[in-house]
Amino acid sequence: MKVAVLGGGTSSEHEVSVRSAASVAAGLRDAGHETVEVTIGRDGRWRAGGEDVSFMPAGGLLGCDVAFPVLHGPGGEDGSVQGMLEVLDVPYAGSDVESSAICMDKLVFKRLLAQHGIPQVEFVGAGDDGWRETAGHFGRPLWVKPARLGSSVGIAPAEDDQELDRAVEEARRHDPKVIVEAPAPGKEVECSLLGNDDPLASPPGEIVTKSGDWYDYESKYGEGGMELVVPARISEAATERVRELARRVFVLCGCSGLARCDFFVDGDDVLVNELNTIPGFTETSVYGKLFEADGIPYPELCDRLIKLAVERYESTKKYEF
């Protein structure tokens, strides 16, 4: 198939996306597909082969059979590009508009999980009625995050009220919606998902930062910043709980194709942290590495995601909306 691989984007995660997209394009070519690499600039312009890309509703995208968005953060992972691909009538890998938007917004996502009794880290929206009092019961350090960013951008710990005010102010530089979370004990564990209605959950992997500090942007993307231990050094009961919850959250949010669900694991206690619908996707990123440990090499993983995209597109076309 001919695949349009979308990378870059307007968010602060642009460079990470460019790297992920290049890896996906290479993986698809190794799997026998033809690729067209489309780069979305920080200014929002779409370019392929050095030329601007033009669009026509229901007109497809550069003659491609399917699109593979490898975009992180606002303007790419939040449903906006997914909506554009719907208008163009192009099958695309990953979650649809609604699911992407739900998972991108940490407050919306966590409130949905709370309604369904999913165990998760305690949280409150900065600015909600009584939020400071609520956060006062969480313990320390508090974790302050922009609600709709990823890759640990704009996140800061807060040990006291002064640090909390500074952290909220800094987070609001990135996003007017800010979430404040309680500290969570235990190991940071991640689980990759692959599928549509009945997703496959990978073996969980454990994140170990080389500095021993929290899993910040430099730890994620800097050379030697973190080590992935697969399988995670957790109990058999916790392992099964992670995989069960990962599948449950994926289905609850209406996701499709791919996602990575992140957890805190303390003994047999498992708390959901978040779910990323377009996780980092280089050959050395956690998402692919976890499936590689399960016997699915990177090119096959890319190929399966294209097939899942077409499967969902054809299934959706059967409905009379």
Side-chain angles (χ1 to χ4, degrees):
M1 280 189 279
K2 187 176 181 180
V3 184
V5 181
L6 313 183
T10 59
S11 81
S12 56
E13 300 172 76
H14 176 96
E15 295 302 328
V16 176
S17 171
V18 168
R19 289 160 51 190
S20 291
S23 292
V24 167
L28 287 169
R29 289 192 294 270
D30 288 344
H33 297 282
E34 178 185 355
T35 62
V36 176
E37 296 183 52
V38 180
T39 301
I40 303 173
R42 293 297 296 268
D43 60 359
R45 293 174 63 186
W46 292 41
R47 296 177 65 82
E51 301 291 334
D52 287 344
V53 178
S54 59
F55 307 99
M56 178 179 294
L61 179 61
L62 300 170
C64 294
D65 302 296
V66 61
F68 197 135
V70 197
L71 300 159
H72 307 311
E77 195 177 351
D78 57 1
S80 54
V81 167
Q82 288 75 13
M84 186 167 187
L85 293 170
E86 295 275 359
V87 171
L88 295 175
D89 194 29
V90 179
Y92 57 91
S95 291
D96 65 10
V97 176
E98 182 179 38
S99 302
S100 298
I102 288 170
C103 296
M104 188 72 224
D105 190 321
K106 295 177 179 67
L107 284 168
V108 172
F109 171 76
K110 288 176 177 289
R111 286 165 180 158
L112 175 62
L113 266 56
Q115 288 181 338
H116 289 266
I118 304 289
Q120 61 180 315
V121 179
E122 291 184 289
F123 71 95
V124 67
D128 289 355
D129 290 344
W131 74 274
R132 287 182 180 278
E133 181 180 358
T134 300
H137 299 294
F138 286 170
R140 294 293 186 275
L142 297 169
W143 291 94
V144 181
K145 307 175 181 180
R148 294 167 292 189
L149 278 184
S151 294
S152 301
V153 174
I155 297 177
E159 292 282 0
D160 55 38
D161 288 346
Q162 189 174 22
E163 287 187 356
L164 177 60
D165 288 339
R166 282 200 300 266
V168 170
E169 182 179 357
E170 175 62 23
R172 283 188 173 138
R173 289 183 56 240
H174 299 278
D175 189 341
K177 294 181 71 173
V178 173
I179 185 170
V180 179
E181 295 179 346
K187 303 175 184 292
E188 292 195 50
V189 172
E190 302 186 349
C191 181
S192 298
L193 295 139
L194 174 68
N196 287 335
D197 298 328
D198 185 20
L200 170 68
S202 74
E206 178 185 344
I207 302 299
V208 180
T209 57
K210 294 299 181 68
S211 65
D213 205 345
W214 64 285
Y215 193 29
D216 61 5
Y217 186 93
E218 289 303 318
S219 297
K220 286 184 178 181
Y221 302 114
E223 185 69 29
M226 57 80 75
E227 177 187 1
L228 176 65
V229 179
V230 187
R233 296 168 296 186
I234 57 178
S235 69
E236 184 176 340
T239 295
E240 289 309 305
R241 183 64 168 153
V242 163
R243 299 179 80 178
E244 172 206 350
L245 282 171
R247 288 191 293 264
R248 186 177 171 190
V249 171
F250 184 94
V251 172
L252 174 63
C253 294
C255 296
S256 51
L258 72 154
R260 192 196 70 232
C261 198
D262 301 346
F263 299 86
F264 292 106
V265 179
D266 186 23
D268 288 341
D269 294 328
V270 178
L271 298 177
V272 175
N273 183 26
E274 61 185 29
L275 186 142
N276 295 279
T277 55
I278 308 181
F281 216 120
T282 68
E283 291 191 52
T284 58
S285 293
V286 172
Y287 180 81
K289 282 296 184 183
L290 291 177
F291 276 122
E292 183 179 60
D294 209 24
I296 303 176
Y298 189 83
E300 180 184 337
L301 184 60
C302 294
D303 179 65
R304 288 174 69 165
L305 285 165
I306 290 301
K307 292 174 180 174
L308 286 165
V310 174
E311 175 189 294
R312 190 193 61 180
Y313 174 83
E314 292 176 347
S315 174
T316 302
K317 284 294 183 182
K318 296 176 183 178
Y319 295 96
E320 297 181 9
F321 286 105

